[in-house]
Amino acid sequence: MGKRLENQPWDKFSVGFGLSFLIASIFNGLLIIAKESYDPLKSWMKSLSGHHWITHGIFVIVLFIFLGYIFSRTDIDKKIDADKISFLVIVGTIMGGLIIVGFFFKHLFE
Amino acid sequence: MWKELMTMPHVIFGVFGILFALWVAVEAANSSEANQRRLKLASIGTTLFLWLTYLIGGWWYVVYYGAAVSNSDKSIILAGPWKWSHSFFMETKEHIFFMLLFLSILLPIVTFRNQIFKDTKVRNLTIVIALTIVVLGLGMEGFGAMISKGIKMSLMGGK
């Protein structure tokens, strides 16, 4: 099994969308905190699609695709290798998950 | 009957999404020039099933689960002893799921745009993404069970 040489460019989209995963996952958690803490925001999100969760989904998915595309247009593939993207995927999952779990955790004691 | 039956595809497609992601991890771990087609097929299957899970589950959630009537699942849970099966488990589940959708888009990008068998680091990335989907997916299944149990507890009067 051949190994890729260090600092060789690899697929730009894999890097761009991998990096976007980290940011979109954190944004996803922060948007929950914002909309649950500030009713006008939640009402505004509801007014856009009929349900705040639908709008939430559209926002985060569009952000993920938009950032992934923007990052893919740069030379980021020369600076970040697949091992770093693996790390960012794990970090994004843990951070995004912990923000959400942490925010709703208090409800477990109701 | 239609409404009740339509709770099933969400769960079934979710399980298929998990199994296909596990399949991706296995193919990637044993990647060679010979299994690239299967690897891509499994990654597309993962994406397809996770999005079906989202669309069908999301439709059921918006139309039926959270309907502002006294006999919706949400209303029943909040009237019972396990309120947290909605306020923690459902709230957490419905938002963590978006991370699964991100990963379901990222996975085929990696498998289709790289030659996995030629690059150990990309192979490992594929395995990390696939196994993260498996772990989060199993979590979603468990959370779903807690939500169902919350309804049951309400209907049984908390016993």
Side-chain angles (χ1 to χ4, degrees):
Chain A
M1 190 175 298
K3 284 192 175 182
R4 183 169 48 81
L5 294 171
E6 289 299 321
N7 299 320
Q8 289 295 304
W10 57 303
D11 176 52
K12 287 172 178 279
F13 280 84
S14 302
V15 192
F17 280 85
L19 190 56
S20 180
F21 171 78
L22 172 74
I23 296 170
S25 295
I26 293 170
F27 176 79
N28 180 38
L30 296 178
L31 185 58
I32 295 166
I33 295 173
K35 75 176 180 183
E36 294 295 339
S37 308
Y38 187 60
D39 279 341
L41 175 61
K42 193 172 184 177
S43 300
W44 176 70
M45 288 173 69
K46 184 180 178 184
S47 72
L48 291 179
S49 66
H51 199 292
H52 67 87
W53 181 74
I54 296 175
T55 306
H56 188 115
I58 294 169
F59 279 3
V60 296
I61 291 165
V62 167
L63 178 77
F64 172 69
I65 293 171
F66 175 74
L67 288 180
Y69 179 74
I70 293 296
F71 290 143
S72 303
R73 305 285 292 175
T74 68
D75 289 333
I76 205 163
D77 54 310
K78 296 189 177 88
K79 297 173 185 167
I80 301 179
D81 67 7
D83 277 351
K84 284 181 184 154
I85 294 297
S86 293
F87 177 72
L88 293 180
V89 166
I90 293 168
V91 169
T93 304
I94 293 171
M95 286 184 72
L98 279 179
I99 292 171
I100 298 169
V101 170
F103 180 74
F104 290 115
F105 190 72
K106 60 181 183 288
H107 294 299
L108 275 176
F109 304 101
E110 287 176 345
Chain B
M1 191 64 178
W2 167 254
K3 172 190 166 187
E4 287 75 12
L5 280 176
M6 286 310 289
T7 58
M8 288 177 65
H10 169 63
V11 181
I12 292 169
F13 288 143
V15 170
F16 278 141
I18 294 168
L19 292 176
F20 269 70
L22 191 60
W23 182 14
V24 170
V26 173
E27 295 286 3
N30 298 285
S31 61
S32 66
E33 197 163 7
N35 74 348
Q36 292 310 289
R37 195 160 172 268
R38 287 200 305 272
L39 183 67
K40 291 173 182 175
L41 177 70
S43 68
I44 281 294
T46 305
T47 307
L48 177 69
F49 283 120
L50 288 180
W51 276 84
L52 282 172
T53 305
Y54 167 59
L55 293 173
I56 294 173
W59 163 73
W60 211 93
Y61 169 74
V62 170
V63 175
Y64 296 117
Y65 176 89
V69 290
S70 61
N71 63 346
S72 72
D73 289 350
K74 180 180 173 182
S75 300
I76 292 170
I77 289 173
L78 293 178
W82 282 25
K83 294 178 177 59
W84 42 264
S85 68
H86 168 78
S87 56
F88 177 76
F89 284 100
M90 179 52 100
E91 292 284 6
T92 303
K93 182 177 189 274
E94 73 189 45
H95 291 102
I96 284 183
F97 199 91
F98 291 129
M99 290 161 63
L100 273 170
L101 295 180
F102 303 155
L103 292 170
S104 80
I105 295 171
L106 178 60
L107 184 64
I109 289 174
V110 173
T111 58
F112 274 79
R113 295 182 64 88
N114 296 281
Q115 291 188 300
I116 309 294
F117 65 96
K118 284 187 177 175
D119 190 325
T120 312
K121 290 180 178 179
V122 179
R123 185 196 67 180
N124 291 341
L125 171 61
T126 307
I127 294 170
V128 164
I129 296 168
L131 291 183
T132 304
I133 290 174
V134 171
V135 170
L136 287 178
L138 289 174
M140 297 296 97
E141 297 289 340
F143 277 36
M146 293 302 289
I147 296 160
S148 297
K149 184 79 174 172
I151 299 169
K152 187 177 176 183
M153 290 301 289
S154 291
L155 296 175
M156 291 179 67
K159 296 176 183 174

